[in-house]
Amino acid sequence: MAHDVGTGLHEECLKLQKVVLEPDHPDTLKTMSNLGEAYRVTGKVRQAIPLLEECVKLSKPRQGADHPNTLLFMNNLATAY
């Protein structure tokens, strides 16, 4: 139950950040990655993978392929795979 509440909070936060900050803003990308991880650990891997793929795709041009956040997002995606 607590996982569902946490996932719901991540979903709401991401929705708002995409509007207020932009989809590729570093804070939005962190929330996107956190939501992907929340999906993964709760067994929702099919929801996690597309979200984490999008996170990596948006992070590389914005932050760079070797930026620590991009590398973290890539790691999260690899773990989900």
Side-chain angles (χ1 to χ4, degrees):
M1 181 69 173
H3 290 294
D4 292 334
V5 172
T7 301
L9 291 172
H10 281 303
E11 289 169 340
E12 183 64 24
C13 186
L14 180 60
K15 185 186 333 179
L16 294 170
Q17 284 180 322
K18 282 183 173 183
V19 173
V20 175
L21 297 177
E22 296 179 349
D24 67 343
H25 187 279
D27 289 342
T28 305
L29 295 174
K30 287 179 191 175
T31 300
M32 187 181 299
S33 181
N34 288 340
L35 177 57
E37 278 294 284
Y39 285 151
R40 184 187 64 78
V41 300
T42 57
K44 299 176 182 176
V45 177
R46 288 188 178 165
Q47 288 176 270
I49 289 175
L51 193 62
L52 293 168
E53 287 174 337
E54 180 183 1
C55 187
V56 170
K57 178 183 167 188
L58 293 172
S59 183
K60 284 183 178 181
R62 173 82 184 234
Q63 300 185 106
D66 60 349
H67 189 278
N69 287 341
T70 304
L71 297 174
L72 174 66
F73 304 152
M74 291 170 65
N75 181 70
N76 291 346
L77 177 58
T79 301
Y81 283 148

